[in-house]
């Protein structure tokens, strides 16, 4: 009753495959290590990552001070054939200006991090409009929690105590209460994005359809201090879909 049912893998192969997926190793590297085809690894990886997406925490962070920011990840339709001349493959270097969207192959990832706990909530979204960002912040922060963001207008109507830094004016941190500590910043989220980018980099491109699964695994890698049997059981459980 696991994702390995019917795959004819040895127990050691199943364990190494699961370890590789959780560590963010490319499918080809895992396949070489355990002696199976890349497609076998990829098919199991997608099921595991879909499971990870379904069990991502849906509760608000307990922190009194949080930060929220967005990252735009180049992710198109990797490996999909483009037979229509009017729909050519996207160039690998997607340097479109402005905020990315799912449709222009720069899907946004919205992240909220708690300063005290270090816990994060990462979600793939299609746009970074006010409705989307407000829903994310209101879901994953306490009603009395202070939220720190940049000055993107999508955060203008948050129903939270709200402080911003203006990156457009080269402002990265600010001392509002005069205690000598620059407490208004989003530097914690910048560190989080470094972790996310490092996790995604070895794959050399991810299909946007499956990006949320990679992000879910990365989130668990940040949040979990210790891998439990319960977590592994959830990750490999068979679904009825």
């Amino acid at each position: 009753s696991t994702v390995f049912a019917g795959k004819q893998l040895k127990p050691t192969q199943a364990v190494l495959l699961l370890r590789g997926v959780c560590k963010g190793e490319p499918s080809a590297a895992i396949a070489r290590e355990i002696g199976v085809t890349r497609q076998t690894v990829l098919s199991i990886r997608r099921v595991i990552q879909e499971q990870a997406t379904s069990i991502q925490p849906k509760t608000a962070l307990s922190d009194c001070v949080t930060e929220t920011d967005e990252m735009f990840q180049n992710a198109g339709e990797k490996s999909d054939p483009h037979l229509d001349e009017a729909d050519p493959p996207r160039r690998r270097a997607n340097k479109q200006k402005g905020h990315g969207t799912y449709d222009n192959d720069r899907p946004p990832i919205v992240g909220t991090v708690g300063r005290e706990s270090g816990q994060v909530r990462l979600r793939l979204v299609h746009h970074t409009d006010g409705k989307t960002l407000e829903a994310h912040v209101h879901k994953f922060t306490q009603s009395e929690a202070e939220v720190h963001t940049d000055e993107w207008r999508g955060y203008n109507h948050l129903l939270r105590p709200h402080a911003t830094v203006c990156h457009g004016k080269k402002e990265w941190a600010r001392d509002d209460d005069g205690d000598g500590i620059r407490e208004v910043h989003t530097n914690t989220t910048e560190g989080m994005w470094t972790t996310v980018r490092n996790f995604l980099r070895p794959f050399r491109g991810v299909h946007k359809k499956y990006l949320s699964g990679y992000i879910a695994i990365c989130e668990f890698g940040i949040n979990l201090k210790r891998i439990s049997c319960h977590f592994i059981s959830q990750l490999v459980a068979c679904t009825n879909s």
Side-chain angles (χ1 to χ4, degrees):
S1 299
T2 72
V3 299
F4 300 109
K7 299 298 182 181
Q8 298 182 347
L9 294 178
K10 298 177 182 178
T12 51
Q13 290 176 309
V15 170
L16 290 174
L17 190 154
L18 182 59
R19 184 195 67 174
V21 170
C22 290
K23 289 178 65 178
E25 296 176 356
S27 298
I30 299 173
R32 287 193 298 269
E33 180 180 17
I34 68 176
V36 299
T37 66
R38 175 181 174 275
Q39 192 57 43
T40 296
V41 174
L42 192 59
S43 63
I44 298 174
R45 162 175 250 140
R46 286 175 176 170
V47 177
I48 291 173
Q49 292 181 166
E50 185 178 349
Q51 279 287 90
T53 303
S54 70
I55 64 173
Q56 278 181 284
K58 299 174 177 58
T59 56
L61 297 170
S62 60
D63 302 72
C64 296
V65 182
T66 65
E67 299 175 23
T68 297
D69 196 16
E70 328 89 53
M71 183 186 98
F72 304 98
Q73 177 66 27
N74 282 345
E77 298 169 339
K78 184 179 181 181
S79 301
D80 281 4
H82 289 260
L83 305 179
D84 185 357
E85 293 183 359
D87 181 29
R90 173 183 62 80
R91 291 184 60 186
R92 187 171 184 85
N94 187 1
K95 297 181 180 179
Q96 296 190 45
K97 295 182 179 180
H99 279 222
T101 68
Y102 189 89
D103 292 335
N104 70 14
D105 294 340
R106 291 181 64 218
I109 302 165
V110 183
T112 295
V113 57
R115 284 192 184 171
E116 295 91 356
S117 67
Q119 295 287 292
V120 304
R121 298 290 185 268
L122 300 174
R123 294 297 184 274
L124 179 71
V125 298
H126 282 221
H127 304 277
T128 53
D129 56 0
K131 182 178 179 180
T132 300
L133 295 178
E134 290 164 21
H136 179 94
V137 172
H138 294 161
K139 180 175 182 180
F140 294 121
T141 64
Q142 302 291 336
S143 59
E144 68 279 4
E146 184 176 326
V147 179
H148 293 227
T149 71
D150 58 24
E151 289 199 333
W152 172 240
R153 61 178 178 270
Y155 297 112
N156 285 352
H157 302 291
L158 294 179
L159 302 178
R160 298 285 187 274
H162 185 204
T164 65
V165 286
C166 184
H167 292 166
K169 296 181 179 179
K170 306 298 182 182
E171 180 186 53
W172 310 112
R174 188 176 65 254
D175 177 16
D176 275 356
D177 55 15
D179 63 354
I181 299 175
R182 297 184 178 184
E183 71 283 345
V184 181
H185 63 79
T186 58
N187 295 338
T188 315
T189 57
E190 295 300 333
M192 175 185 69
W193 293 137
T194 299
T195 299
V196 175
R197 290 189 182 97
N198 288 340
F199 182 86
L200 294 174
R201 187 171 290 114
F203 300 105
R204 299 184 180 181
V206 173
H207 196 300
K208 61 185 178 182
K209 178 180 177 181
Y210 304 109
L211 180 58
S212 59
Y214 290 88
I215 295 303
I217 292 291
C218 182
E219 179 185 307
F220 280 114
I222 297 172
N223 286 340
L224 295 181
K225 307 304 180 186
R226 191 181 186 90
I227 299 297
S228 66
C229 293
H230 176 66
F231 170 68
I232 295 298
S233 297
Q234 287 182 299
L235 208 56
V236 303
C238 266
T239 62
N240 296 322
S241 57

